[in-house]
Amino acid sequence: MSHTMILSIVTFVYFTSFVFYLFRMILGREFWGRLAMIFAWSGLALQTAALILRWKASYDLGIGHVPLTNLYESLIFFAWAIVFFYLIIEWRIGNRAAGVCVVPVAFLIMAYTSIAPDINNRIEPLIPALQSNWLTTHVVTCFMGYAAFTVAFGCGLLYLLKNQIAGKSENTTGFFSRLPALNLLESLIYQSAALGFVFITIGIMTGSIWAHYAWGSYWSWDPKETWSLITWLIYAIMLHVRYVAGWHGQRLAIISLVGFASVLFTYLGVNYLPGLHTYIQS
Amino acid sequence: MSKKANPLWSFFSSVKLTIILLILIVILFIAASFLPQYGDARQYVQGLSPAAAAVFLFLRINDLYHSPLFYLLLGMLSVNLIICSINRFYFSWQQFQALPFPEPAGIFDNSSPNSIAIANQDIKSLSSLIEAFLEKKFGCVKNKNTENGIIFSAGRGRFSVFGVYIVHTSILIMIAGGLAGSLFGFKADVNIREGETTDTVYIAGRGMQKLEFAVRCDKFTVEFYDNGAPKTYRSDLSFIREGKVDYQGALLVNHPLTYSDIRFYQSSYGLAPDTKAVLTYTGGREKKASVVLAGGDSFVLRGNNATVQVLRVEEDIMSMGPAVKLRVSSPRKNYEFWVFQHIEEIKKANPGLLSQVPMFNPGLFQPYLFSLERLEQEYFTGLHVVRDPGTAIVALGGILMVIGLFIIYYLPQQRVWVRLESTAQNTVITIAGRTRRNQAALDRRITELQLHLKENLRA
Ligand code: HEM
């Protein structure tokens, strides 16, 4: 089976997983949660296999390189990293509630790769500027960071949802009562954002080492560089807000949404501004 | 005390100020990423009122990354950082030095009920068991007898309180490195043709700059993939000092060369405007001879006092491939004719062509016969030339920042206390822990510790 075929199956598997996480939340039965989790893990395993196949396929074509070099490949890796991080966190905290906000993001990204008209899924040889191991490290660390921010975003969304409802009525029933406690969500937002912050710090650094070797300047204020710095600063703000009185919970959650918007803009929006990184469009 | 009283000091020691400054910097970056930068300021101010134009020029909206506004924000952030760090350092030092005893007041009070294990064992063996456990999980263990029983204390990651200082210092170091680069460095470009040597480079906005040495491009190579995408750009360079080649190396994209503090990057390439032709000719009393000429060049046919001049060098003329146009000036008569590289194929395809169109006959000037071996296209290589004494400083800052972040997040300070309390019937073990970061993770560790203890006590 070709890796593109497997990736279409993975898209479907993530969708199913999302539906089961939704059932879990609405019906309140952990059975659905377990099923959702099994689907998410299977999707992850299949996607890992597909990535390895694609990697191998590039060597069979004689232009071997890590499958992380164009928009298509980076989107696939982004989805992979989101599910990977989410499942690790789910396993660590033993609560499946955030899945309903996080897994659909991975599904949407996978779906986007197959329907967006301007995305090229062919394996292509690397132009000289991209022939660098720093590039691989750069992409891996950035997307690990983005994935952690996605988890923070999912938890932030749940936090605001729960906070709105809980703020209005005391006797919360139905599925909102099954959402994780606010302080657990807050700590999840904080922990994933901190993890993402470490990754994106390393990501920006490896990126600038690459730029140093490829272009002769570790920083050139290219829009993508500027936006990655903006994202970095937004999360730096988040790490600092708890040292300011009154900046807790709700504001932390809002920053996690703002930060995620900035991640998306850094990743996709910036391509519409001119600069060095626009090769990604091809 | 006097520090506290100083309003300027307290202004700069506030984390609220940090957040405001960071938000302002974010706003400046967003503006800069949308407004065209490095543009001509005059274009910008056209159509603005004089007052607006003055504000505009003062703020340097066309070059925000080098504007006084940005430098002001960075400067304030640095002062904020320094003062905040000084202010907190005493507190952190105290934390670093904190003694295990007395244990924090009330620490055992709100231990959850399941954090209590009951055992019917003698205190001695229990003590050594607990000590061994703590030793394994947390390192150095201390104990103390109190009226409530024996209390053990262990901790790790004491050093973690300094992680934040490492991160914040690294930011200052990076800002300093960036500044050093823009004050003492330069970025220049130079194009060098294959075989040529130069010692001057062009700095945008500053003009030509002479280097202390010369660079020669020995060879430039470009390779392509089957689909036409470029695969390799490579310049073989020689660095020449006082007339002698001092260093030679191959420059590739992603593999810069450094020579005497200055780094060279492969940034572009192109075809030199004049292409050379490699001509051979036979005839007269000479054997086959070969010359290399560009358009306009001429040479004398030995054994004959005719001069041959190359009028044109064409890469593809009339879809018949590469050709040169020659003029032979002899005392008797002048001849002009084309010499095609693929003359044999042309003759085959058009029999009789040479007699019909004498201009296409490479043997028009008898008894000589000219042929075009090939065209020699010369490349020039485009080099980016950089000196940035700040790079090493910024790199040092980067390494420190990563180390600092690891210390903060992955070696967090964790302290635990275990109390052994003997009552009339049994012994009660209470475990409690404190960390300034991720209490949940420490609580999980404590639960693990309990389960472990329980199992071992049962055994
Ligand atoms: C871009 C700039 C900055 C970055 C990236 C940064 C980064 C960090 C990080 C990673 C932490 C640890 C946060 C945590 O507890 O999870 C931290 C803590 C802190 N930062 Fe910054 N920081 C920056 C600027 C500043 C400035 C200008 C100040 C000046 C007041 C400051 C004051 C503090 C304080 C007081 C803490 C808490 C320290 C503690 O935990 O005891 N930061 N910062």
Side-chain angles (χ1 to χ4, degrees):
Chain A
M1 209 183 326
S2 75
H3 65 269
T4 36
M5 185 90 156
I6 300 179
L7 288 173
S8 331
I9 297 174
V10 169
T11 313
F12 178 73
V13 171
Y14 287 159
F15 178 71
T16 317
S17 167
F18 159 58
V19 170
F20 289 154
Y21 276 117
L22 205 62
F23 281 4
R24 174 195 172 276
M25 187 167 98
I26 295 169
L27 306 174
R29 291 236 262 113
E30 206 47 54
F31 164 77
W32 295 111
R34 229 169 290 136
L35 211 56
M37 178 198 74
I38 292 170
F39 267 80
W41 277 108
S42 326
L44 188 70
L46 277 176
Q47 197 178 1
T48 312
L51 280 170
I52 293 171
L53 280 180
R54 185 176 172 95
W55 198 341
K56 191 177 163 297
S58 75
Y59 275 92
D60 295 342
L61 289 173
I63 47 173
H65 56 77
V66 188
L68 293 172
T69 52
N70 59 20
L71 181 57
Y72 174 79
E73 292 175 342
S74 69
L75 282 167
I76 299 284
F77 183 73
F78 189 13
W80 182 91
I82 289 172
V83 177
F84 175 75
F85 262 119
Y86 169 70
L87 286 174
I88 298 267
I89 287 177
E90 183 186 278
W91 170 63
R92 283 283 299 274
I93 64 164
N95 187 314
R96 302 202 174 97
V100 71
C101 282
V102 179
V103 172
V105 181
F107 157 70
L108 287 174
I109 292 171
M110 294 297 290
Y112 180 70
T113 60
S114 50
I115 55 167
D118 52 349
I119 288 185
N120 170 5
N121 70 0
R122 266 173 314 168
I123 300 177
E124 285 185 336
L126 289 185
I127 60 165
L130 302 185
Q131 298 163 6
S132 165
N133 287 332
W134 289 109
L135 175 65
T136 315
T137 338
H138 170 57
V139 176
V140 170
T141 44
C142 281
F143 282 97
M144 289 291 191
Y146 291 174
F149 292 147
T150 309
V151 174
F153 161 77
C155 297
L157 217 55
L158 279 185
Y159 186 99
L160 292 178
L161 214 67
K162 176 143 182 162
N163 203 25
Q164 289 304 312
I165 305 296
K168 286 205 186 85
S169 60
E170 276 303 307
N171 54 338
T172 47
T173 50
F175 62 75
F176 289 109
S177 61
R178 282 188 285 276
L179 290 178
L182 284 181
N183 59 0
L184 175 63
L185 284 173
E186 178 172 339
S187 127
L188 274 180
I189 296 173
Y190 189 81
Q191 301 297 334
S192 359
L195 183 68
F197 185 73
V198 175
F199 272 115
I200 200 178
T201 305
I202 301 175
I204 292 174
M205 278 171 195
T206 47
S208 68
I209 296 173
W210 172 44
H212 168 83
Y213 285 112
W215 287 295
S217 171
Y218 60 84
W219 200 262
S220 14
W221 297 112
D222 160 88
K224 188 134 189 155
E225 289 174 347
T226 305
W227 271 91
S228 67
L229 200 58
I230 291 173
T231 304
W232 185 77
L233 287 171
I234 291 175
Y235 287 98
I237 291 171
M238 187 199 270
L239 296 181
H240 285 86
V241 295
R242 46 171 206 168
Y243 296 99
V244 179
W247 283 58
H248 287 279
Q250 175 107 349
R251 294 204 198 189
L252 208 66
I254 290 172
I255 299 177
S256 77
L257 306 197
V258 174
F260 188 67
S262 174
V263 165
L264 289 184
F265 193 81
T266 308
Y267 182 30
L268 300 170
V270 158
N271 291 328
Y272 301 99
L273 303 170
L276 288 174
H277 284 78
T278 39
Y279 70 85
I280 264 177
Q281 271 183 325
S282 67
Chain B
M1 258 348 264
S2 65
K3 278 181 193 167
K4 296 257 161 62
N6 186 335
L8 204 60
W9 184 276
S10 55
F11 173 73
F12 275 114
S13 63
S14 126
V15 183
K16 230 179 225 160
L17 177 67
T18 310
I19 290 177
I20 291 167
L21 287 174
L22 293 181
I23 291 174
L24 290 176
I25 291 175
V26 164
I27 292 171
L28 180 130
F29 283 168
I30 294 176
S33 76
F34 280 97
L35 299 168
Q37 296 293 295
Y38 305 107
D40 187 355
R42 266 165 305 172
Q43 267 179 359
Y44 260 95
V45 293
Q46 265 173 13
L48 291 181
S49 70
V55 171
F56 181 97
L57 288 179
F58 175 73
L59 293 178
R60 284 239 246 164
I61 305 285
N62 60 318
D63 191 7
L64 279 169
Y65 301 118
H66 303 94
S67 64
L69 187 62
F70 182 44
Y71 286 134
L72 177 73
L73 290 174
L74 276 187
M76 285 179 73
L77 190 73
S78 308
V79 175
N80 186 202
L81 205 45
I82 293 168
I83 292 188
C84 204
S85 299
I86 294 174
N87 234 15
R88 299 179 63 94
F89 194 78
Y90 179 65
F91 174 67
S92 301
W93 182 252
Q94 275 184 326
Q95 273 201 320
F96 175 67
Q97 298 245 299
L99 296 171
F101 302 111
E103 74 279 5
I107 184 158
F108 292 118
D109 295 353
N110 47 11
S111 304
S112 56
N114 60 1
S115 74
I116 296 165
I118 300 173
N120 300 313
Q121 271 175 356
D122 75 304
I123 291 278
K124 269 241 174 68
S125 63
L126 211 51
S127 296
S128 57
L129 188 70
I130 287 172
E131 201 151 354
F133 262 135
L134 290 178
E135 186 90 52
K136 205 164 77 196
K137 297 259 172 185
F138 289 92
C140 179
V141 186
K142 297 222 165 61
N143 65 43
K144 191 182 141 201
N145 282 304
T146 67
E147 66 241 44
N148 293 328
I150 311 176
I151 298 181
F152 296 89
S153 168
R156 54 172 207 176
R158 261 194 340 152
F159 189 72
S160 188
V161 294
F162 298 118
V164 165
Y165 295 93
I166 299 179
V167 171
H168 290 155
T169 310
S170 75
I171 294 168
L172 293 174
I173 293 177
M174 285 200 258
I175 292 177
L179 209 61
S182 58
L183 289 180
F184 306 116
F186 68 78
K187 288 186 176 126
D189 291 283
V190 62
N191 291 344
I192 312 176
R193 287 173 60 149
E194 269 183 307
E196 289 192 349
T197 308
T198 186
D199 63 352
T200 35
V201 294
Y202 175 75
I203 303 177
R206 258 201 266 168
M208 304 305 282
Q209 159 105 13
K210 222 168 147 60
L211 302 177
E212 288 162 8
F213 54 88
V215 193
R216 186 174 69 213
C217 173
D218 297 318
K219 190 169 161 49
F220 177 80
T221 337
V222 52
E223 286 172 36
F224 296 93
Y225 291 108
D226 296 339
N227 71 354
K231 183 179 182 187
T232 323
Y233 305 123
R234 171 190 166 124
S235 304
D236 291 290
L237 301 182
S238 295
F239 296 89
I240 300 165
R241 209 184 264 278
E242 287 154 10
K244 278 196 290 264
V245 173
D246 190 28
Y247 174 67
Q248 279 187 309
L251 177 66
L252 290 106
V253 178
N254 272 314
H255 299 275
L257 283 178
T258 306
Y259 181 74
S260 115
D261 273 358
I262 296 184
R263 293 193 314 274
F264 290 81
Y265 295 87
Q266 183 67 58
S267 77
S268 66
Y269 77 102
L271 280 174
D274 44 343
T275 304
K276 286 193 175 144
V278 182
L279 279 179
T280 57
Y281 59 94
T282 55
R285 267 165 283 152
E286 293 182 51
K287 286 201 209 113
K288 190 166 172 176
S290 170
V291 283
V292 182
L293 302 152
D297 292 351
S298 55
F299 66 101
V300 178
L301 282 175
R302 267 173 289 155
N304 188 322
N305 42 9
T307 318
V308 182
Q309 191 188 12
V310 178
L311 296 180
R312 285 164 70 182
V313 179
E314 295 291 340
E315 279 162 47
D316 186 17
I317 185 101
M318 295 171 269
S319 307
M320 291 193 286
V324 290
K325 192 176 187 187
L326 301 182
R327 174 196 282 151
V328 182
S329 322
S330 80
R332 283 172 285 133
K333 195 175 170 199
N334 292 349
Y335 301 86
E336 279 188 18
F337 54 92
W338 286 94
V339 179
F340 288 94
Q341 183 174 348
H342 305 304
I343 188 70
E344 293 308 319
E345 290 88 337
I346 295 169
K347 272 199 287 194
K348 228 175 263 162
N350 312 282
L353 178 75
L354 297 196
S355 48
Q356 284 159 16
V357 190
M359 247 218 153
F360 287 176
N361 185 357
L364 197 64
F365 181 64
Q366 281 168 352
Y368 292 90
L369 175 66
F370 294 87
S371 49
L372 175 60
E373 291 295 308
R374 62 178 193 282
L375 293 185
E376 225 165 49
Q377 287 183 320
E378 275 192 359
Y379 285 108
F380 66 83
T381 180
L383 306 181
H384 190 51
V385 185
V386 177
R387 195 177 72 197
D388 187 349
T391 309
I393 303 174
V394 174
L396 174 75
I399 293 168
L400 280 180
M401 179 176 283
V402 174
I403 292 176
L405 287 174
F406 267 86
I407 291 177
I408 294 177
Y409 293 112
Y410 302 109
L411 301 172
Q413 186 190 31
Q414 293 184 329
R415 308 209 290 160
V416 290
W417 287 268
V418 180
R419 186 175 62 185
L420 273 186
E421 212 176 1
S422 296
T423 59
Q425 310 87 23
N426 55 21
T427 308
V428 179
I429 305 172
T430 315
I431 311 177
R434 279 285 162 87
T435 178
R436 299 200 335 110
R437 184 170 309 287
N438 205 352
Q439 185 74 38
L442 182 59
D443 289 345
R444 272 200 300 275
R445 274 180 82 89
I446 288 178
T447 315
E448 272 168 33
L449 206 68
Q450 273 164 20
L451 288 176
H452 227 78
L453 268 178
K454 271 190 190 149
E455 257 162 42
N456 273 270
L457 290 176
R458 232 177 272 129

